């Protein structure tokens, strides 16, 4: 397949995601322009041997414009960038929240896509030191990507997947879903639930040490090993939880989890959490 997507602009190239994806794009065959507002972030880009471009000059030349700016300013930034884009170009955002909330400036003759990293799986077989150290992904440990391009054809998605594979590489697979489905994945599944549970387990660890006087190293050793076995049993059914463990789990669920917790999957709840994240009063429909 011939690749029509050749020129890429990264807006917010000196931010956390901007720096990560730029490092990968810089090594590719794509022609890449880097745009950044903050002088401090511009210095970081320069230190990596990348030149800063003026967005108004390079956006009109670009087949893909990546908005790697904070979600709370995405709407405002898109109002400047979208009118500068060439017909048929793709505006790629890195998180579904702003797209879900309809905050991004619209034009009928450009395309809109979102691509979010899944991060390397907890079950990934890692062989090298670099793979072990790459918790976030995009360096050495392979990860999947969840993406949305609702109006894109299979051929267009395949082309954009090549860009996604480079910017987030190494990538195993790009999973195409709708923007709303992507919002159910993040925030609902992975932030509202998984990250919350991760932070909750840290709090439980601190409380165990404080409350029982168990040495911190002992508590960490016990918890880290049990996080591993709990995930293996729950997700991989490697072996069953013991009968006594299941009784303790049931007690924990009664004490900690609200019976109506699945409300978080109601779309009005998704609207509430996304509006809160974007610091807006309500989602635009
Ligand atoms: N940080 C993460 O772990 C992570 C993970 C997945 C997706 N994302 C998504 O990536 C996007 C960027 O998030 P981040 O955490 O990298 O943000 P960040 O705050 O680290 O970086 C944003 C950068 O954009 C720059 N910027 C702001 N307005 C600009 C403008 N008009 N022109 C040029 N540069 C401008 C800022 O100076 C900053 O350097 C968001 O959509 C976020 O949801 C972030």
């Amino acid at each position: 397949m011939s690749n029509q997507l050749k020129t890429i602009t990264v807006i917010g190239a000196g931010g956390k995601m901007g720096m990560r994806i730029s490092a990968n794009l810089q090594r590719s065959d794509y022609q890449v322009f880097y745009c950044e507002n903050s002088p401090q972030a511009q210095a970081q880009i320069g230190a990596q041997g990348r030149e800063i471009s003026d967005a108004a000059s390079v956006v009109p030349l670009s087949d893909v414009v990546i908005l790697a700016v904070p979600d709370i300013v995405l709407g405002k930034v898109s109002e400047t960038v979208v009118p500068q884009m060439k017909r048929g170009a793709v505006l790629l955002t890195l998180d579904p929240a702003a797209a879900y909330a309809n905050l991004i400036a619209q034009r009928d003759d450009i395309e809109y896509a979102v691509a979010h990293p899944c991060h390397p799986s907890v079950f990934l077989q890692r062989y090298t030191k670099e793979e072990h150290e790459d918790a976030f992904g995009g360096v050495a440990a392979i990860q999947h990507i969840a993406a949305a391009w609702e109006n894109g054809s299979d051929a267009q998605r395949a082309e954009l997947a090549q860009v996604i594979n480079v910017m987030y590489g190494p990538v195993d697979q790009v999973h195409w879903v709708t923007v709303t489905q992507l919002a159910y994945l993040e925030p609902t599944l992975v932030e509202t639930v998984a990250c919350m549970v991760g932070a909750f387990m840290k709090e439980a660890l601190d409380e165990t040490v404080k409350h029982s006087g168990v040495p911190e190293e002992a508590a960490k050793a016990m918890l880290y090993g049990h996080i591993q076995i709990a995930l293996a049993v729950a997700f991989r059914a490697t072996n069953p939880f013991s009968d006594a463990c299941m009784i303790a789990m049931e007690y924990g669920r009664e004490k900690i989890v609200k019976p109506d917790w699945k409300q978080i999957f109601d779309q009005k709840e998704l609207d509430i959490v996304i509006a809160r994240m974007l610091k807006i009063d309500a989602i635009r429909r």
Side-chain angles (χ1 to χ4, degrees):
M1 187 183 58
S2 72
N3 200 338
Q4 304 297 314
L5 305 178
K6 295 182 164 62
T7 305
I8 300 172
T9 286
V10 183
I11 311 261
K16 290 185 281 297
M17 289 302 278
M19 288 298 282
R20 291 184 180 116
I21 63 175
S22 297
N24 287 340
L25 289 168
Q26 188 179 14
R27 289 193 294 267
S28 73
D29 292 335
Y30 292 105
Q31 180 176 27
V32 189
F33 297 112
Y34 308 95
C35 304
E36 173 56 57
N37 267 1
S38 125
Q40 204 185 343
Q42 285 177 348
Q44 288 199 74
I45 297 171
Q48 297 302 317
R50 299 190 278 272
E51 271 176 35
I52 309 289
S53 297
D54 168 42
S57 314
V58 295
V59 167
L61 310 174
S62 300
D63 304 312
V64 180
V65 177
I66 302 174
L67 290 186
V69 301
D71 296 314
I72 52 172
V73 300
L74 255 176
K76 206 163 175 347
V77 174
S78 73
E79 280 165 25
T80 311
V81 170
V82 163
Q84 298 168 342
M85 289 174 64
K86 71 175 175 190
R87 268 187 84 155
V90 182
L91 186 76
L92 181 62
T93 49
L94 309 183
D95 184 280
Y100 178 83
N102 294 309
L103 295 187
I104 301 177
Q106 293 294 303
R107 245 175 74 184
D108 288 342
D109 59 348
I110 66 163
E111 304 290 341
Y112 294 86
V114 188
H116 193 89
C118 295
H119 307 297
S121 165
V122 69
F123 297 117
L124 179 68
Q125 290 276 7
R126 296 169 193 247
Y127 301 99
T128 65
K129 187 167 171 282
E130 289 73 21
E131 283 173 275
H132 280 283
E133 284 174 355
D134 186 14
F136 192 92
V139 178
I142 199 160
Q143 64 176 334
H144 291 237
I145 305 300
W149 184 355
E150 296 189 11
N151 300 326
S153 64
D154 287 347
Q156 285 176 309
R157 288 195 191 122
E159 263 203 48
L160 188 64
Q162 292 182 38
V163 176
I164 293 169
N165 286 341
V166 171
M167 64 191 246
Y168 287 138
V171 169
D172 187 328
Q173 208 183 325
V174 180
H175 302 273
W176 293 100
V177 296
T178 66
V179 169
T180 301
Q181 288 172 333
L182 197 51
Y184 273 119
L185 292 175
E186 168 151 352
T188 306
L189 177 63
V190 301
E191 292 179 329
T192 303
V193 179
C195 293
M196 184 277 291
V197 169
F200 177 72
M201 287 195 288
K202 171 68 170 72
E203 215 179 306
L205 172 73
D206 294 344
E207 191 58 29
T208 303
V209 172
K210 190 173 134 204
H211 188 84
S212 70
V214 170
E216 188 173 350
E217 289 312 308
K220 277 186 183 166
M222 193 73 168
L223 181 61
Y224 294 173
H226 278 78
I227 291 174
Q228 145 72 29
I229 193 66
L231 295 180
V233 175
F235 290 92
R236 292 273 164 110
T238 48
N239 49 282
F241 289 116
S242 73
D243 292 349
C245 174
M246 284 197 285
I247 293 169
M249 286 164 66
E250 197 47 44
Y251 167 80
R253 180 175 271 270
E254 279 166 27
K255 286 286 181 190
I256 299 166
V257 181
K258 288 187 182 173
D260 63 353
W261 74 272
K262 287 185 184 164
Q263 268 187 21
I264 61 169
F265 293 102
D266 291 350
Q267 195 154 4
K268 71 174 188 347
E269 293 292 328
L270 180 59
D271 288 6
I272 290 170
V273 67
I274 288 188
R276 235 195 248 187
M277 292 167 80
L278 295 170
K279 303 188 198 299
I280 55 175
D281 292 337
I283 295 302
R284 279 192 212 157
R285 289 268 177 240

